[in-house]
Amino acid sequence: MAPDIPFHASLRIRKCFADALSVWASNIPILFAASVVAFGLSMISGTLLMGSLYAGMLLMTLRGLQGQRPNFRDLFGQVRRFPRFFSITVFIMLFFILGLVLIAVPLFLQSDIFAALLTEFSSRYSQETDLIIAYGPEDIVDFLKAKDVILVTVLITFSLLFLPGLFFVIKCFYMYLLVADRGVRLDEAYVESRKAVEKYGFWKHVLLTGAAFGVLVCVLGVVVYFAPESDVHI
């Protein structure tokens, strides 16, 4: 179990990056290899193992911050808690999942798949009954376009789900690490994470998350820029 944070501790973004850089500089081979493996397995598993592997990476980094040498076994040490970490991932992304489902509905109504299904249903229904379905796929598409249903849905989803979802994600900042390091339940992890974020500054965590995301994008951009081009032409 990690030592308790002193009551006078504060969140300093510059120190966070300095400590992270120091840990990576001291353990770059094993942390880089673990990152590649975690990313690959997350993609292969359809992100099902993403939460468990991410928690393992956090635990390896925490070991480095505590002056210990990260162990590659820690990356897979949380896989045995797969249901718990998968639940955390769904819990954290709940607002975004609901938003994507809401946006997917009008998009599906405009798709060729829905048009084919409705046409087939209308054909079979008219054969079995004397009633005729007055509206076809083209009528639904015209209605959606005339009323700007997709645009309205996106605006509503962003305002009521995506934007609150971003604030919710920040409050879940420490959930993976708390479960990995202390083995607490999902509800306890959320409560402790929310308290820590509120105690050390919500907007500091927003800035820290944004800065970390910016660094990640820059690193990926550099990797893509210097990656060798494929000679295969189709």
Side-chain angles (χ1 to χ4, degrees):
M1 180 178 296
D4 294 332
I5 300 175
F7 71 91
H8 58 273
S10 61
L11 178 64
R12 290 177 291 176
I13 296 178
R14 181 179 298 180
K15 189 176 188 304
C16 289
F17 278 98
D19 290 344
L21 184 61
S22 176
V23 171
W24 270 83
S26 303
N27 305 278
I28 190 168
I30 187 172
L31 290 179
F32 178 77
S35 300
V36 173
V37 172
F39 179 80
L41 291 179
S42 296
M43 294 300 99
I44 293 175
S45 65
T47 69
L48 291 177
L49 296 178
M50 181 177 64
S52 302
L53 296 171
Y54 175 65
M57 281 295 305
L58 289 177
L59 204 57
M60 292 178 68
T61 306
L62 178 62
R63 298 291 180 255
L65 288 171
Q66 294 174 337
Q68 305 174 20
R69 182 172 180 77
N71 193 319
F72 203 87
R73 288 179 299 179
D74 288 333
L75 177 65
F76 303 100
Q78 304 305 313
V79 175
R80 56 189 173 85
R81 295 175 177 172
F82 158 75
R84 186 177 301 185
F85 286 108
F86 182 72
S87 300
I88 292 175
T89 302
V90 174
F91 178 73
I92 293 176
M93 301 301 295
L94 183 61
F95 283 92
F96 297 97
I97 294 173
L98 293 176
L100 291 175
V101 171
L102 185 61
I103 293 176
V105 172
L107 290 176
F108 175 72
L109 293 178
Q110 290 194 80
S111 67
D112 294 336
I113 297 176
F114 176 76
L117 291 174
L118 183 60
T119 301
E120 179 67 19
F121 174 77
S122 301
S123 176
R124 293 192 178 186
Y125 188 77
S126 60
Q127 293 176 0
E128 297 175 359
T129 65
D130 296 331
L131 300 177
I132 299 176
I133 298 179
Y135 298 98
E138 63 280 355
D139 299 310
I140 295 177
V141 172
D142 291 340
F143 172 80
L144 293 176
K145 290 182 178 179
K147 301 299 183 179
D148 291 327
V149 173
I150 294 181
L151 177 61
V152 173
T153 302
V154 171
L155 293 176
I156 293 176
T157 301
F158 181 81
S159 302
L160 300 181
L161 291 174
F162 285 177
L163 196 57
L166 291 174
F167 286 85
F168 183 70
V169 167
I170 298 299
K171 291 189 176 182
C172 299
F173 193 89
Y174 299 101
M175 285 189 67
Y176 286 105
L177 185 57
L178 284 168
V179 173
D181 187 49
R182 303 189 179 186
V184 299
R185 299 193 308 269
L186 189 150
D187 55 338
E188 294 176 342
Y190 172 71
V191 171
E192 292 301 320
S193 177
R194 176 177 55 80
K195 288 181 178 179
V197 170
E198 292 174 353
K199 179 178 181 179
Y200 299 114
F202 176 83
W203 291 108
K204 284 185 177 180
H205 285 83
V206 172
L207 182 59
L208 180 62
T209 303
F213 182 76
V215 171
L216 178 61
V217 170
C218 291
V219 171
L220 292 177
V222 171
V223 171
V224 172
Y225 180 80
F226 288 102
E229 295 183 1
S230 175
D231 295 331
V232 179
H233 299 282
I234 299 177

